[in-house]
Amino acid sequence: MSYDLITCIDIFEHLKYEDLDIVLEKISKAGNKFLFSIPFVGDEHLDADKTHIIKESKDWWIEKLNKYFKIKNTPKEWLFANQIIVGERK
């Protein structure tokens, strides 16, 4: 089964590093388009939540996600565009 759009809003930063690739691989096979909202290093909300485990830069996340998804430009007019990454199935 394949979904048209999968959204992962404030999820990945709560995972353990060793689980992240497993989750990304499974998600990448389940959908066609993807929207990820992730707090990056420099975002005041990243350190405010003690349940955030993965604390990385936006560049780190883009590199990681690019292994599983074709990363697209996020429209600048979107609310919270600074923490959103858009992807498509490779």
Side-chain angles (χ1 to χ4, degrees), residues 32-79:
N32 296 313
K33 294 182 180 178
F34 307 87
L35 189 140
F36 310 109
S37 177
I38 307 165
F40 310 115
V41 168
D43 181 332
E44 63 189 51
H45 299 103
L46 184 61
D47 289 326
D49 186 336
K50 293 180 184 183
T51 66
H52 290 168
I53 297 169
I54 300 178
K55 298 179 180 182
E56 298 291 346
S57 68
K58 185 172 187 174
D59 289 338
W60 184 93
W61 279 105
I62 290 172
E63 184 176 333
K64 175 62 86 172
L65 293 170
N66 200 42
K67 293 178 183 176
Y68 301 95
F69 311 94
K70 180 180 177 185
I71 302 303
K72 308 295 281 181
N73 289 328
T74 302
K76 295 179 193 254
E77 66 273 6
W78 283 10
L79 191 61

Side-chain angles (χ1 to χ4, degrees), residues 74-89:
T74 302
K76 295 179 193 254
E77 66 273 6
W78 283 10
L79 191 61
F80 302 111
N82 61 323
Q83 72 180 46
I84 294 176
I85 299 174
V86 177
E88 290 182 348
R89 181 188 292 250

Side-chain angles (χ1 to χ4, degrees), residues 7-18:
T7 61
C8 298
I9 310 298
D10 297 331
I11 301 293
F12 295 149
E13 67 275 12
H14 296 275
L15 299 174
K16 295 177 184 173
Y17 279 89
E18 59 267 21

